[in-house]
Amino acid sequence: MKISVPGARRISTRTATAAGLALAGLLVTAAPAATAAPMSTPPTLRSAPSAALAAPDIPLANVKAHLTQLSSIAAANGGNRAHGRPGYLASVNYVKGKLDAAGFTTSVQQFTSSGATGYNLIADWPGGDPNQVVMSGAHLDSVTSGAGLNDNGSGSAATLEAALAVSRAQLQPAKHLRFAWWGAEELGLIGSKYYVTNLPSAERAKISGYLNFDMIGSPNPGYFVYDDDPEIEQTFKDYYAGIGIPTEIETEGDGRSDHAPFKNVGIPVGGLFSGADYTKTAAQAQKWGGTSGQAFDRCYHSSCDTTANINDTALDRNSDAIAYAVWTLSAATTVPPAGTVFENLGDVSVPDNGAAITSSVTVSGLTGNAPTALKVGVDIKHTWRGDLVIDLVAPDGTAYRLKNSSGSDSADNVVATYTVNASSEVANGVWRLRVQDVASSDTGYIDSWRLTF
């Protein structure tokens, strides 16, 4: 996991992917950057419990065998697997060899960063709907100071073994499966940014979801789930609920790993994380075991991030959760289009007991007025929803009240779809979601919102 948080924010409709290429036996893509545009309702992921039951148990021994190989590669190449170093390319070759033998179609995407050549490895499993792609990924590079066996050998090894399990099962999913191992993540998400930037918009639009796995075997682990796409998030929560393990929302790595470039262009994302250099609290230690007052990974970005720096139980559980998600989401059905969707996925902070803020969506390409049943989907993260007043503001300034404040409404978050008779409003123009926190001591932000015409 990289250190700094990228500043990019995600806005607009969903779009997504392809891999490509050719150079000394390596395949390389150089497609133009995509421009997101309004589109009809994109595929959303729905859990398919019957398919999830068929997900295999991922053998921990297999995952650890991959970690042993990555450790040996680092030892033979200056002690690390960092971008531009021979240990990284040797890691790519190891993973690629396993996938090629298992029947995947692999490609290696080449890019340049900090004066050195980097590589992304992409693997596609034959079959499934090519217009609905479930993609899973992990960064394969380490920092220069060590072998990087938790960060991120753990995610890379578990993703590899999940892919190999697909092959062993000769899975025939409804959706197309794609797996990726990213280069130069530690330098600022360079490989995944390059991949997403060079995807044609038509290919971006085919991705139903991207699942990211960065540090999933931390020695003093927590069980954290990304709170981005609700369907992906719920899939992971369902798995952990099924084995009686409580989870928490992932915040330490938000925006700091390879899901961020996908998220920034509106692709639904999710993932798992077991903690880096944040300190485990007493409450978390009581919930999950381990040692309070210590970092989840005391060897984060250090030379001691070796095979000894892995918690087998966390690695085993998270590996099984990856398989559960791959099987479940690739077997999922799509929600049929219900109209044209315009959405804003950018986060906007709501000041505590402050002035109203707005988040805008520009509607274009429609004719006539808005419908009598305009759907307004709202996702606001907040610690006391009763403080919030929410309005939809039409292009001409007319405000439609969606939610009043209420002292008795003590729940958190506002995740709801409201119906507004906006038939007197011209459809095209700038629509705004206006939110005001009218009482003190609670905080939150607009996570996303959408209009469905």
Side-chain angles (χ1 to χ4, degrees):
M1 176 176 291
K2 72 179 277 286
I3 300 172
S4 62
V5 180
R9 284 292 183 188
R10 45 186 173 132
I11 288 187
S12 94
T13 48
R14 298 173 181 172
T15 40
T17 127
L21 348 209
L23 184 58
L26 305 179
L27 300 173
V28 188
T29 304
T35 301
M39 58 191 294
S40 59
T41 304
T44 57
L45 298 169
R46 298 294 183 192
S47 297
S50 60
L53 293 174
D57 179 83
I58 298 298
L60 175 63
N62 291 8
V63 181
K64 294 192 71 177
H66 300 314
L67 287 176
T68 298
Q69 290 298 317
L70 294 176
S71 177
S72 297
I73 287 170
N77 290 279
N80 65 68
R81 300 179 301 101
H83 166 74
R85 308 295 179 90
Y88 179 72
L89 185 56
S91 299
V92 171
N93 290 336
Y94 169 73
V95 176
K96 184 176 187 298
K98 292 289 185 182
L99 295 164
D100 287 341
F104 282 83
T105 300
T106 62
S107 57
V108 179
Q109 185 179 42
Q110 182 173 315
F111 59 89
T112 301
S113 179
S114 301
T117 301
Y119 306 95
N120 294 326
L121 172 62
I122 312 297
D124 285 270
W125 180 243
D129 184 351
N131 293 312
Q132 299 183 73
V133 178
V134 175
M135 189 172 186
S136 303
H139 77 86
L140 189 53
D141 64 314
S142 72
V143 292
T144 56
S145 59
L149 272 300
N150 184 39
D151 184 15
N152 182 39
S154 61
S156 292
T159 301
L160 172 58
E161 192 55 32
L164 297 179
V166 168
S167 175
R168 287 193 296 269
Q170 288 297 292
L171 187 64
Q172 297 180 1
K175 295 185 178 183
H176 182 74
L177 290 176
R178 180 173 298 149
F179 297 85
W181 290 262
W182 307 114
E185 187 269 359
E186 297 291 2
L187 300 185
L189 318 181
I190 303 300
S192 55
K193 285 179 180 178
Y194 184 87
Y195 177 81
V196 172
T197 298
N198 286 284
L199 285 173
S201 58
E203 291 301 315
R204 288 184 183 181
K206 295 176 182 178
I207 294 189
S208 298
Y210 170 73
L211 316 179
N212 194 62
F213 307 107
D214 187 356
M215 301 182 67
I216 61 169
S218 302
N220 189 29
Y223 293 91
F224 299 100
V225 175
Y226 295 13
D227 66 333
D228 295 291
D229 180 78
E231 299 292 340
I232 299 174
E233 177 186 355
Q234 192 60 50
T235 299
F236 286 120
K237 287 182 174 180
D238 287 347
Y239 169 77
Y240 277 104
I243 62 172
I245 302 297
T247 61
E248 290 185 10
I249 296 304
E250 195 282 312
T251 57
E252 181 179 1
D254 193 20
R256 292 171 56 184
S257 192
D258 292 299
H259 61 294
F262 291 85
K263 178 178 176 178
N264 289 339
V265 297
I267 295 170
V269 301
L272 301 174
F273 178 58
S274 57
D277 55 354
Y278 280 23
T279 300
K280 178 177 277 189
T281 67
Q284 289 170 330
Q286 183 176 13
K287 184 189 312 185
W288 294 321
T291 305
S292 65
Q294 288 187 4
F296 293 102
D297 183 355
R298 290 183 292 174
C299 290
Y300 175 62
H301 283 185
S302 301
S303 59
C304 58
D305 188 7
T306 65
T307 52
N309 192 48
I310 295 291
N311 181 285
D312 285 357
T313 300
L315 184 64
D316 190 22
R317 288 170 174 167
N318 284 320
S319 298
D320 290 340
I322 293 173
Y324 179 95
V326 168
W327 257 251
T328 301
L329 297 175
S330 66
T333 57
T334 58
V335 177
T340 302
V341 173
F342 298 83
E343 61 186 347
N344 188 331
L345 302 176
D347 296 348
V348 180
S349 295
V350 178
D352 183 31
N353 195 22
I357 54 90
T358 62
S359 175
S360 63
V361 164
T362 300
V363 175
S364 62
L366 301 183
T367 58
N369 286 6
T372 57
L374 177 64
K375 302 295 184 183
V376 187
V378 176
D379 185 347
I380 300 174
K381 302 297 192 294
H382 200 272
T383 54
W384 188 285
R385 55 174 285 150
D387 289 358
L388 298 180
V389 176
I390 306 173
D391 296 302
L392 174 69
V393 182
D396 68 357
T398 302
Y400 296 84
R401 179 58 48 91
L402 304 180
K403 177 190 174 300
N404 286 308
S405 61
S406 171
S408 62
D409 189 1
S410 61
D412 58 5
N413 302 336
V414 180
V415 182
T417 299
Y418 302 93
T419 301
V420 172
N421 183 349
S423 58
S424 63
E425 307 290 343
V426 174
N428 291 332
V430 178
W431 296 74
R432 293 178 174 83
L433 186 73
R434 185 171 64 197
V435 181
Q436 184 173 15
D437 182 335
V438 298
S440 61
S441 303
D442 288 277
T443 60
Y445 62 96
I446 299 173
D447 184 84
S448 64
W449 72 285
R450 60 168 52 190
L451 294 172
T452 303
F453 284 82

